Every structure is written in C-alpha cells, then in structure tokens.
Amino acid sequence: MENFNRQYRFSAGQSGAAGFELGEGNPISPHISFSIQKQDMETSNSAKITLWNLSKEHLMALEEENCMVTLKAGYGGRMPLVFMGMVSHTVTTPDGADTATEIEAVDSLAEIRDTYISVSYAGNINAKKLIDDTAGQMGVAVTYGHDVSFADIPNGYAFIGKGKEVLNKACSVSGASWSLQNGILQVKKSRGVISQEVYVISPETGLISIPKKIKLAGDDTGGEQSGYEVVYLMNAAIGIDDYVKLESRYASGFFRVQSLKIDGDNLEGSWQCTAQLYEVV
C-alpha cells in the first residue's frame, strides 16, 4: 500500500516572505499536473506546473517579481523535494468551467541570470578555492562528490564576469563537472556520482518498465557510454548524479543518474519518474 495515496505540497512566494501552500486538502487536494526536467549539465533544470482554480491572491503571489516555488510529491507522508526554482512565466486560461494556471519555473534562475563575480588571486590557486568563493558570491551552497579532487592553477587567476565561467574553468582543469540541483551547486568527478549511497531500482521498489538500452555520445571527458532508460513509480528522493543499482531480469548493475523526467497528476495520469542511467567512471 506504500505506493498509493498520491500526495503533494506546492508552495510559492518571495524568498524570506510569507507565501501560500497547496496540497493538504480535505477531502482532496487541488488538482495539480507537473512535468520536471533535470539533467547533469550546466543548463538549468526546468518545471512546468499546472494548477486549477487558483484564487486571486494565489495568482497575485505568482506574478510577484522573483517568486520562488517548491514542489514536493510522493505517497502518503513520504514527499521528497521534487523541484525548487524561480517562476519565469505564468498564464491562466479557461478549462471548461474551471481555470488552469500554467507555471514555468527554472532552478536557480536568479543565481545564474544576475550574478556577476570578481575574483583575483596571486600565485598558485586551488580550483576548489575558486568554486567555494564563486558559490559564496552567487549565494548558493555547494555539495562535493565523495571522490572529486581539484588541481592547482599556476601563476595566479583573475576574472570579472558571470560566475558560471569560473565554475567552468575550475572544473575543466580538475576533470570535474557542475550542475545546480534544487538551488544547490553540485560538483563531482566527471561521469562520477555525488555520493556512495546506493538507491535500488527494481520491480520491488517501483520499476514499471523493461530497461531500454541507450547510448551517450562522447565528449571532452571521455568516449561513448552505454546505459539504460528506466521508468519507475514516483520517487523524487533519487536525484541527478545519484548512485543507483538496477535490478531487473533484463538488465542489472551500478549506474549514475544522468537525467530525470518527473511527471505527475494527483487525480489522473502519470505519477512516475523516467531516468537515464549511465556507467560510473
């Protein structure tokens, strides 16, 4: 019964200010539908969330500048964080006798869009110092992979501009990669995982598809990779760059989560995750 009773919590408002929350309905929560795209890349994760019959006050809050939204979803009392980001666009249209408000949001939009930084160092500077200082100026927390290491940059380093350019520099010299996940900067070894904790994806834990073979084209960090695309019941606890063990009679092994598509509708349709899993290097 643990995979029944679809539940969500959606909240919106300006950072540090009172907002509103939906999802704890009696006897039923307001209708919500969402599609979240996440990936292990420098581009931001995105969300499309549709809510029906919002009040005038809710609509006004969503229209405020720099409105932040969070979405948690799962079953019963288990509702991991699915998405956190800033609203980039909203539109409300008639839907029969109802109204439907579509919200588009981007993970860490303000941090990427608005933050210019200034750094200057003499002599050798370690790439991790660059990342720490850049994250500090961007106002984001950093999580480091368990096995990532950082190179020294000789002869000093100075830069004024968008913070992502410094992150690119620090990671490129260290064989690392970065992405922003729910407002947190993740830095880990290229094609590696963020931690050693392993999540099991199997029929017993919610796997609902036959794993489909896929390939990832080569890039600057290595050659072509093989992997699988899998579909499983909603489990937002599994995130980008997490370490997973796939257990199926069609495919098995240890992989990293390269991309995620999370689709949900609390009244009808999907309530599931689609993940692309690739080899851990």
Side-chain angles (χ1 to χ4, degrees):
M1 296 294 292
E2 65 177 6
N3 290 327
F4 291 88
N5 188 17
R6 297 178 180 186
Q7 293 286 330
Y8 76 89
R9 297 292 184 271
F10 173 87
S11 60
Q14 291 185 312
S15 180
F20 69 89
E21 181 178 89
L22 301 173
E24 196 168 4
N26 185 19
I28 191 168
S29 299
H31 187 188
I32 189 173
S33 176
F34 55 85
S35 182
I36 316 296
Q37 300 275 358
K38 298 186 175 187
Q39 51 194 341
D40 176 17
M41 296 178 65
E42 298 159 10
T43 53
S44 293
N45 298 331
S46 61
K48 286 188 176 182
I49 303 167
T50 302
L51 285 155
W52 277 262
N53 300 324
L54 293 181
S55 69
K56 181 180 178 180
E57 290 73 23
H58 294 158
L59 296 174
M60 289 177 60
L62 289 168
E63 291 290 342
E64 291 182 353
E65 186 177 4
N66 296 333
C67 178
M68 296 293 296
V69 296
T70 62
L71 175 64
K72 299 178 181 180
Y75 300 93
R78 297 184 298 108
M79 289 178 286
L81 180 64
V82 174
F83 179 84
M84 181 174 69
M86 184 175 292
V87 174
S88 58
H89 179 71
T90 65
V91 60
T92 300
T93 56
D95 184 14
D98 302 314
T99 59
T101 300
E102 183 176 286
I103 304 158
E104 296 181 5
V106 182
D107 191 349
S108 307
L109 175 63
E111 287 82 357
I112 294 175
R113 182 192 64 198
D114 298 334
T115 303
Y116 278 68
I117 70 160
S118 174
V119 293
S120 180
Y121 309 93
N124 290 349
I125 179 67
N126 188 263
K128 185 176 183 297
K129 172 66 173 173
L130 278 182
I131 295 171
D132 287 339
D133 290 352
T134 299
Q137 292 190 43
M138 292 175 74
V140 296
V142 189
T143 297
Y144 289 102
H146 69 98
D147 60 350
V148 64
S149 59
F150 297 97
D152 287 332
I153 299 173
N155 305 319
Y157 179 78
F159 178 83
I160 299 175
K162 288 191 175 182
K164 66 180 182 179
E165 301 300 331
V166 182
L167 298 177
N168 289 341
K169 172 68 174 180
C171 288
S172 66
V173 300
S174 303
S177 64
W178 67 272
S179 66
L180 285 158
Q181 305 296 331
N182 294 330
I184 296 175
L185 176 63
Q186 287 190 178
V187 181
K188 49 89 183 180
K189 181 180 176 182
S190 292
R191 300 191 174 187
V193 294
I194 197 69
S195 76
Q196 293 180 295
E197 181 180 4
V198 179
Y199 294 92
V200 176
I201 299 178
S202 68
E204 291 71 30
T205 63
L207 181 66
I208 55 177
S209 71
I210 296 175
K212 180 176 72 175
K213 287 186 178 181
I214 53 176
K215 289 187 180 296
L216 180 66
D219 56 22
D220 293 341
T221 63
E224 184 181 80
Q225 283 187 291
S226 298
Y228 293 93
E229 182 174 277
V230 295
V231 181
Y232 50 93
L233 297 176
M234 179 72 69
N235 184 357
I238 300 175
I240 294 296
D241 292 327
D242 276 342
Y243 199 14
V244 299
K245 183 181 182 183
L246 178 60
E247 293 181 350
S248 165
R249 62 176 179 159
Y250 302 98
S252 62
F254 291 89
F255 301 89
R256 63 185 174 88
V257 180
Q258 166 78 12
S259 69
L260 274 171
K261 185 172 185 285
I262 306 175
D263 295 301
D265 190 307
N266 68 318
L267 299 185
E268 58 188 11
S270 300
W271 197 256
Q272 64 187 34
C273 303
T274 302
Q276 292 190 336
L277 312 177
Y278 288 100
E279 301 158 338
V280 178
V281 177

